[in-house]
Amino acid sequence: MKLRLEDVACLHPDQMLIEFSPEEREKAWQQTQAQGYSNQAARWRAYLNCLCLNTFLSYLDTEANLTEPNLTGTNLLETALDKALNKPLDTPLNKPLNKPLNKALVWPELGDLPSFWDVVNGTAVELNQTRLVLIPSEEIKFTALRVPREWVDIPEWASHYYVAMQLNLEECWLQVWGYTTYQQLRDHGNYDIIDETYAVDAVDLIEDLNVMWVTEELTPSPKLTVKPMARLSCDEATTLIKQLSQETPYSPRLDIPFAKWQALVSNSKWRKELYKQRSLVYSRKPSINLLSWLDNFLEAGWQTVEEVRARNCQPTLRVAYRSQQTRLKDSLNGNSSASSPFYENIPEAVTAIIKLLKTNNSKQTNLPAIELLGEIAHGSLDAIALLADMINTTHDHDLRRQAAVSLGKLDPNHPQAGIRRVKIIDLEMQLNGSKVAFMVTLIPEADGGINVHLRVYPTNEKYLKNNLQLLVLDQQGEIFLSAQSRSADNWIQLEFHGERGDRFMVKLVLVDASFSKEFVL
């Protein structure tokens, strides 16, 4: 069931709900796109943190009472009670302000945030000498506040409060699930030695932020006492920065003993140098340009899968691709009547598919859903972000491959975008009258290489002809991969890893007939 903002407010009356506009969401996306990051996971983490920070700061700017330092405890408590009882607040004329408002400040500075977000989740904000760490999440089912250990055990990073924030990117609102204190998190939080986090269950969070404001006014938080850390020498730091500057699709925070890691990133100079080096490595990686790959398919006959379906309507291809998509469209419609055609409700369908992919674990359902998303979700940042995230996190090769191909349709310039083309090979007597579909899929990999996937389908029959060979030859003409059909094969396929600039030839051989095609990556 799709919950409206009003429904969530009724279910969680003490929690704060803040709306943001699609334009504000786009602004946060553009801000993080313009900044260098060491991998796509880091860029997505930065986007969530940026959107969360922008939304929360905008909220604070509109809530004058929260940034006024000289309200008495009584007045602030009345304000909190008035809000809880949905009563109108007293006018400013009844409560004159004697001092200028304090503005919430990003810690340490706004320009330092990329060096934090590149390796760790969370953003620190200081308000009236009180530091909060905002921890964003996009989990559909929020169960716990998970705080990276850096924000707790590094003395310079430790904060008075930790705030759990859940972003609903599709509906454009932020839900503040509540907060916990440093002492509660450090002494009673669930420490996870695997991912180096402290966690507090959602049910144990204090939901109403007004309680925090009142507490701070009545009994301001004392200076935090954090256990001192081990220190690094300059030579040790230089060695670690060099070691951790290698390209990885994830944060390197768990790649070395945590005591050394926190000593490294706690030093502003070293943290910024690590960020600089990791970003440079990623920016120097040869970018994969889909336009250069398209040069392989300029000759007549190469088509997209959708074009093959529309122009050829081959039975086997319909079985392999079309039927699952059709069933998926019908299920999204809720019925098959003409009164609710699928393509009249594309925005709703995109939202439904995104939610399906986030909550469903069935490969049989997700594979056509990912493909359909690539056909209909043009202009959807949510779809692009989801596909990029799936490429980074999904272990199933078929799902990752389809996500990259769909991403290539929505955002051809994306560094993880892939391409897929099909050629119907009909050489009459050359292949003994057999017509087959030869499919080529190229997708970039995290190490800068290229995944090449080749597959051959029958088109007019259920099975391929027996003993049809699929061969891959290197630049010297030597066969280095091969597959051969048997009596009841629906397809044959090969997959291998290539590097930019590699040349290879693919051959289809049946008895004495053959088809060949050269490719350049």
Side-chain angles (χ1 to χ4, degrees):
M1 181 178 67
K2 181 178 178 180
L3 290 178
R4 299 172 302 167
L5 189 62
E6 296 81 1
D7 300 326
V8 178
C10 290
L11 289 172
H12 305 283
D14 291 331
Q15 294 181 7
M16 182 187 301
L17 297 168
I18 311 171
E19 293 184 274
F20 52 86
S21 67
E23 291 74 22
E24 290 169 324
R25 182 182 61 183
E26 171 69 16
K27 178 183 176 183
W29 178 259
Q30 294 302 329
Q31 285 176 309
T32 49
Q33 287 294 103
Q35 186 68 48
Y37 288 97
S38 62
N39 53 61
Q40 289 302 313
R43 189 177 300 280
W44 182 249
R45 178 168 54 247
Y47 166 58
L48 296 180
N49 276 273
C50 182
L51 180 58
C52 176
L53 176 64
N54 291 351
T55 303
F56 190 66
L57 291 182
S58 296
Y59 162 77
L60 292 181
D61 285 343
T62 63
E63 295 290 323
N65 287 313
L66 301 183
T67 54
E68 169 55 29
N70 66 315
L71 284 175
T72 66
T74 302
N75 287 343
L76 188 56
L77 182 58
E78 289 174 358
T79 297
L81 291 174
D82 285 342
K83 287 186 176 183
L85 296 173
N86 294 317
K87 293 180 180 179
L89 299 176
D90 291 343
T91 64
L93 294 176
N94 294 332
K95 295 180 181 177
L97 302 178
N98 299 320
K99 298 180 182 180
L101 299 180
N102 283 357
K103 186 175 179 62
L105 301 174
V106 173
W107 179 89
E109 294 181 0
L110 196 62
D112 290 335
L113 293 181
S115 68
F116 284 83
W117 293 341
D118 195 62
V119 293
V120 70
N121 188 35
T123 310
V125 175
E126 290 187 337
L127 182 66
N128 302 338
Q129 308 304 313
T130 301
R131 184 182 296 171
L132 324 173
V133 173
L134 314 179
I135 304 293
S137 169
E138 56 171 340
E139 295 178 5
I140 293 178
K141 186 177 181 180
F142 181 84
T143 57
L145 166 64
R146 291 180 176 83
V147 180
R149 183 178 170 187
E150 292 91 329
W151 290 113
V152 182
D153 288 351
I154 296 178
E156 296 85 356
W157 292 28
S159 300
H160 300 97
Y161 299 99
Y162 300 86
V163 187
M165 299 190 160
Q166 182 185 22
L167 286 161
N168 187 317
L169 298 176
E170 292 85 5
E171 302 298 327
C172 292
W173 43 266
L174 181 150
Q175 182 176 1
V176 181
W177 276 85
Y179 72 93
T180 190
T181 66
Y182 170 82
Q183 210 65 39
Q184 289 171 317
L185 188 63
R186 184 66 181 84
D187 296 343
H188 305 292
N190 299 314
Y191 170 58
D192 189 329
I193 194 173
I194 302 299
D195 63 0
E196 297 289 1
T197 59
Y198 291 97
V200 175
D201 291 340
V203 294
D204 295 325
L205 297 174
I206 302 171
E207 291 188 338
D208 193 347
L209 287 193
N210 289 309
V211 176
M212 182 172 66
W213 309 131
V214 171
T215 301
E216 279 301 304
E217 186 66 27
L218 295 177
T219 55
S221 296
K223 184 178 180 180
L224 296 176
T225 303
V226 184
K227 183 180 178 181
M229 300 183 309
R231 295 296 175 183
L232 293 175
S233 68
C234 289
D235 288 343
E236 287 178 303
T238 301
T239 300
L240 288 176
I241 290 172
K242 183 178 180 180
Q243 174 186 341
L244 299 175
S245 293
Q246 304 302 312
E247 183 188 357
T248 60
Y250 54 84
S251 169
R253 59 188 292 270
L254 304 178
D255 286 352
I256 59 175
F258 201 78
K260 291 185 176 182
W261 168 256
Q262 62 181 9
L264 180 69
V265 296
S266 66
N267 183 296
S268 177
K269 179 181 177 181
W270 294 342
R271 187 187 65 253
K272 291 177 182 178
E273 182 63 22
L274 176 64
Y275 164 70
K276 176 183 175 182
Q277 294 302 321
R278 285 181 59 82
S279 299
L280 280 175
V281 169
Y282 186 73
S283 66
R284 288 171 182 161
K285 183 179 70 173
S287 60
I288 303 298
N289 187 343
L290 293 192
L291 293 179
S292 65
W293 284 353
L294 285 172
D295 289 344
N296 291 295
F297 309 110
L298 292 178
E299 64 191 51
W302 289 101
Q303 306 168 79
T304 65
V305 173
E306 294 77 18
E307 289 170 337
V308 171
R309 291 177 185 150
R311 296 176 185 177
N312 298 279
C313 296
Q314 301 298 341
T316 302
L317 289 178
R318 286 203 302 271
V319 171
Y321 291 97
R322 190 74 175 187
S323 59
Q324 288 184 331
Q325 270 205 15
T326 302
R327 289 195 297 270
L328 180 62
K329 292 176 182 178
D330 289 342
S331 67
L332 291 173
N333 278 335
N335 57 66
S336 57
S337 67
S339 61
S340 58
F342 176 81
Y343 285 105
E344 290 183 5
N345 301 290
I346 283 181
E348 291 82 358
V350 169
T351 300
I353 294 173
I354 289 173
K355 291 186 176 180
L356 173 70
L357 291 171
K358 285 184 176 182
T359 56
N360 182 68
N361 294 320
S362 168
K363 177 178 177 179
Q364 186 177 6
T365 300
N366 286 352
L367 195 59
I370 295 170
E371 185 181 8
L372 184 56
L373 202 61
E375 291 186 26
I376 68 173
H378 295 280
S380 171
L381 292 178
D382 295 333
I384 292 171
L386 174 66
L387 292 171
D389 184 60
M390 292 187 74
I391 294 169
N392 291 329
T393 59
T394 301
H395 298 296
D396 185 278
H397 292 300
D398 293 329
L399 294 176
R400 288 185 68 252
R401 190 180 300 116
Q402 184 58 61
V405 172
S406 292
L407 183 59
K409 297 175 184 177
L410 302 182
D411 185 2
N413 294 319
H414 196 285
Q416 294 169 292
I419 187 172
R420 172 175 286 158
R421 290 293 184 268
V422 183
K423 186 180 182 70
I424 303 298
I425 300 172
D426 183 12
L427 301 182
E428 298 178 351
M429 293 303 295
Q430 291 187 30
L431 285 180
N432 293 343
S434 297
K435 183 183 290 187
V436 295
F438 174 40
M439 179 182 293
V440 180
T441 306
L442 307 174
I443 63 172
E445 295 186 328
D447 62 0
I450 301 164
N451 177 272
V452 181
H453 183 256
L454 311 171
R455 184 175 284 185
V456 181
Y457 292 95
T459 57
N460 295 323
E461 302 175 8
K462 186 176 181 180
Y463 302 115
L464 289 168
K465 292 285 187 180
N466 198 25
N467 296 323
L468 173 64
Q469 291 181 287
L470 173 61
L471 308 174
V472 181
L473 292 74
D474 61 21
Q475 288 181 262
Q476 286 72 43
E478 299 293 330
I479 297 173
F480 72 91
L481 279 178
S482 65
Q484 183 169 312
S485 63
R486 295 163 296 185
S487 57
D489 279 339
N490 298 113
W491 66 72
I492 54 175
Q493 64 180 10
L494 292 172
E495 184 175 8
F496 61 94
H497 178 92
E499 301 293 338
R500 185 178 176 86
D502 283 354
R503 291 176 175 269
F504 62 94
M505 178 174 287
V506 177
K507 273 192 173 184
L508 291 175
V509 181
L510 183 62
V511 192
D512 295 327
S514 67
F515 162 85
S516 61
K517 165 66 180 172
E518 186 178 21
F519 293 88
V520 181
L521 298 180

